[in-house]
Amino acid sequence: MLVFGAVPLFYMELILGQYNRQGPISVWRVCPIFKGVGFCAVMVAFYVSFYYNVIIGWALYFMAASVAAELPWLHCNNTWNTASCWESPSNATNATLANVTVSNLTVANMLHHSPASEYFHRGVLEMQWSEGLHDVGVPKWQLAVCVGLVYCMLYLSLFKGVKSSGLVVWVTATMPYVVLTILLVRGLMLPGALQGIQYYLQPELARLKDTQVWVDAAVQIFYSVGAGFGVHLSYASYNHFDNNCYNDCLITTAVNCFTSFFSGFVIFTYLGFMSHKQGIPISDVATEGPGLVFQVYPEAVATLPGSHFWSLLFFFMLIMLGLDSAMGGMECVITGLMDEFHGFFHGRRYAREVFTLCAVCVSFCVALINVTPGGIYMFTLFDTYSAGISLLCSALFEAIAVSWFYGLERFSQDVHAMLGFTPGLYWRICWKFISPLFIIGVVMFALLYHEPLKYHDYQYPAWAELVGWGLTMSSIVMIPAVAILQLVKTPGSFRERLGINISPVEEHEHIRRTKEVKRFRLRHWLYV
């Protein structure tokens, strides 16, 4: 998915942004009929901010809790704990288990009722006060303050544009590597760590038959690399015209893969330790989503000597990582809309500062629903539907628009003008055939094998799934809607309208004068 999907599209986005010097919406002056792709990318990035920044808020809350005299997720003697709460023998006071014995518990119950799990779900999220999406309740003020602080940090990083965010990234992008290395060295000293690494490095090749594995791989790598969000288009538009974006693409994706692989070692050393400590298989300890970060990992570091330091370090790293990605998403929204509606913002004093404040405030207001007692259900809905299929569709139509309509021949000339060489055959074949086919296949699998949404034991009602699909379609529908709008508002016959809207803006006058459209020639469509 990386080699044939995300990397070619990442390279394409860098070229588009750098050559045209425009944001993710206005860059589609190269092919106006696909301007909806830009709106789709911006909407997806904005939707992601509604829940992604909440994760950073949770990390801030946990970091603050790490300075308490005793880590609150260590024992079962707190007000939020249930009678089913279970401590491992090494944690239990008086050498007894809290209220029940291990023999009476299934592995699932052990994990769902560990002190860390109950602290996250009942102490932090306060899920016990909600029955589901129909009963979300009011925001928890402590979490609202944490999320508010995250948005304040985002605003201070973004309001001056890349001048401010570029300086911040020097800290947020490099600090996690230092922390990960420290955590890995400490983790390797723990019993069971090597078993965790062994489990990590032994792939289950039979799982490749599972279509969901491919869907998850595609969504994860597009998230990780950032293809389809429009973020790279936004940042590349600030590059020097002759910047070697080819090297940028290869270095960035290599570093991205190394980071993912390296952090896997860090995670699985602690998962191996938890497996050894609790006496259950690693496959049962490992979980996905917020559970890994806010249940398994805190529980692992809580048992280490100097646990407060390790906990502070881990959540500080999480905040740095989160802010880095959150800045990119919001920059896409801000740059995209300000470039597209340049006429409205031009000449207005403090336009960037005011618009950034408005975008941040709107996102914060929506994010507050995720810090209510029923907020985790809304969070899961956002996480599932806001940037899954819609993100892949954004990347798909971006590839189709550039390689088929704008044309590989013209696109290759653009690359030559910037870098002095044309893209190789591998890139051209990926852009035109392989990457679109890969994404189409993944989207089809995701639709055909879609499973009903649930969070733990809570099964989402049908109306909630409809809301989720509405969220997905609200961004995807921008692609055909804007295409129709572009055709309708363009004067002339249908042939002239179509010819103008699939051609770059600088060719429009020539088309109106001569009625000659290069993209109606067979050579344009057959060029590879």
Side-chain angles (χ1 to χ4, degrees), residues 47 381-382 385-386 390 466-476:
Y47 289 163
L381 195 75
F382 275 128
Y385 289 104
S386 62
S390 50
L466 286 175
V467 170
W469 282 111
L471 191 68
T472 297
M473 294 307 299
S474 65
S475 52
I476 295 175

Side-chain angles (χ1 to χ4, degrees), residues 388-523:
I389 290 177
S390 50
L391 173 63
L392 295 175
C393 285
S394 170
L396 170 64
F397 284 100
E398 179 182 286
I400 291 172
V402 172
S403 57
W404 288 92
F405 287 84
Y406 182 61
L408 278 184
E409 185 174 20
R410 174 67 184 272
F411 195 60
S412 298
Q413 290 169 359
D414 295 347
V415 176
H416 189 272
M418 289 191 301
L419 307 180
F421 59 85
T422 54
L425 188 61
Y426 160 76
W427 298 105
R428 300 199 302 272
I429 290 176
C430 280
W431 287 334
K432 194 155 189 172
F433 303 108
I434 298 176
S435 296
L437 288 173
F438 258 63
I439 299 173
I440 289 170
V442 170
V443 170
M444 292 302 295
F445 281 141
L447 292 173
L448 290 173
Y449 297 97
H450 176 72
E451 296 178 357
L453 186 62
K454 61 185 239 180
Y455 183 80
H456 285 193
D457 298 326
Y458 177 72
Q459 193 74 42
Y460 280 71
W463 65 264
E465 296 250 12
L466 286 175
V467 170
W469 282 111
L471 191 68
T472 297
M473 294 307 299
S474 65
S475 52
I476 295 175
V477 78
M478 295 301 293
I479 299 172
V482 173
I484 293 169
L485 182 64
Q486 289 290 117
L487 288 171
V488 168
K489 74 177 188 180
T490 304
S493 65
F494 179 77
R495 186 180 184 279
E496 290 170 340
R497 294 179 184 188
L498 184 62
I500 285 172
N501 280 293
I502 64 173
S503 303
V505 169
E506 57 266 26
E507 295 181 17
H508 288 186
E509 188 58 40
H510 175 78
I511 293 171
R512 290 190 181 97
R513 190 174 64 254
T514 64
K515 309 299 181 187
E516 179 187 350
V517 181
K518 293 179 182 177
R519 279 146 192 84
F520 285 167
R521 297 173 183 168
L522 189 60
R523 170 188 163 83

Side-chain angles (χ1 to χ4, degrees), residues 122-144:
R122 298 176 62 84
V124 179
L125 303 183
E126 298 186 352
M127 286 176 60
Q128 66 271 28
W129 308 119
S130 171
E131 295 180 1
L133 268 179
H134 62 284
D135 176 35
V136 293
V138 296
K140 180 178 177 177
W141 72 266
Q142 296 95 327
L143 288 178

Side-chain angles (χ1 to χ4, degrees), residues 1 19 53 67 77 106 131-132 145 159 212 217 237 249 289 291 293 314 471 515 519 524:
M1 286 300 171
Y19 184 83
N53 296 320
V67 300
N77 56 357
T106 63
E131 295 180 1
V145 169
F159 79 106
Q212 190 59 41
S237 67
C249 170
V293 174
F314 175 71
L471 191 68
K515 309 299 181 187
R519 279 146 192 84
H524 171 82

Side-chain angles (χ1 to χ4, degrees), residues 107-183:
V107 170
N109 279 333
M110 287 169 62
L111 298 175
H112 290 167
H113 293 289
S114 67
S117 179
E118 289 204 351
Y119 174 70
F120 178 58
H121 288 114
R122 298 176 62 84
V124 179
L125 303 183
E126 298 186 352
M127 286 176 60
Q128 66 271 28
W129 308 119
S130 171
E131 295 180 1
L133 268 179
H134 62 284
D135 176 35
V136 293
V138 296
K140 180 178 177 177
W141 72 266
Q142 296 95 327
L143 288 178
V145 169
C146 289
V147 174
L149 287 172
V150 170
Y151 276 98
C152 287
M153 288 188 280
L154 274 180
Y155 178 75
L156 292 173
S157 303
L158 291 170
F159 79 106
K160 285 294 185 184
V162 292
K163 290 181 180 178
S164 55
S165 61
L167 293 172
V168 175
V169 163
W170 275 106
V171 178
T172 59
T174 55
M175 181 61 71
Y177 290 103
V178 177
V179 178
L180 279 171
T181 304
I182 295 171
L183 288 171

Side-chain angles (χ1 to χ4, degrees), residues 80-94:
W80 55 79
N81 290 127
T82 66
S84 301
C85 184
W86 172 85
E87 293 183 32
S88 63
S90 59
N91 287 355
T93 55
N94 301 322

Side-chain angles (χ1 to χ4, degrees), residues 211-343:
T211 54
Q212 190 59 41
V213 169
W214 292 89
V215 174
D216 289 343
V219 172
Q220 168 59 30
I221 201 65
F222 274 80
Y223 252 97
S224 183
V225 172
F229 278 108
V231 175
H232 301 307
L233 273 169
S234 301
Y235 279 130
S237 67
Y238 295 103
N239 282 345
H240 294 297
F241 183 76
D242 58 352
N243 173 65
N244 194 334
C245 57
Y246 177 70
N247 282 351
D248 290 348
C249 170
L250 297 182
I251 293 170
T252 304
T253 50
V255 170
N256 174 72
C257 282
F258 166 77
T259 306
S260 297
F261 191 59
F262 180 61
S263 59
F265 281 99
V266 182
I267 294 297
F268 277 86
T269 53
Y270 287 89
L271 289 179
F273 168 59
M274 290 299 296
S275 170
H276 174 82
K277 185 167 75 81
Q278 295 178 350
I280 57 178
I282 295 176
S283 56
D284 291 323
V285 178
T287 182
E288 61 181 352
L292 180 63
V293 174
F294 296 105
Q295 295 171 57
V296 177
Y297 218 86
E299 187 175 356
V301 298
T303 60
L304 302 177
S307 55
H308 293 76
F309 170 75
W310 299 114
S311 183
L312 277 168
L313 199 63
F314 175 71
F315 288 110
F316 176 70
M317 178 195 71
L318 210 61
I319 293 166
M320 292 296 99
L321 283 170
L323 283 173
D324 215 19
S325 299
M327 282 191 293
M330 289 302 291
E331 183 62 45
C332 168
V333 176
I334 296 160
T335 300
L337 293 174
M338 288 194 72
D339 278 2
E340 176 61 17
F341 302 104
H342 177 73

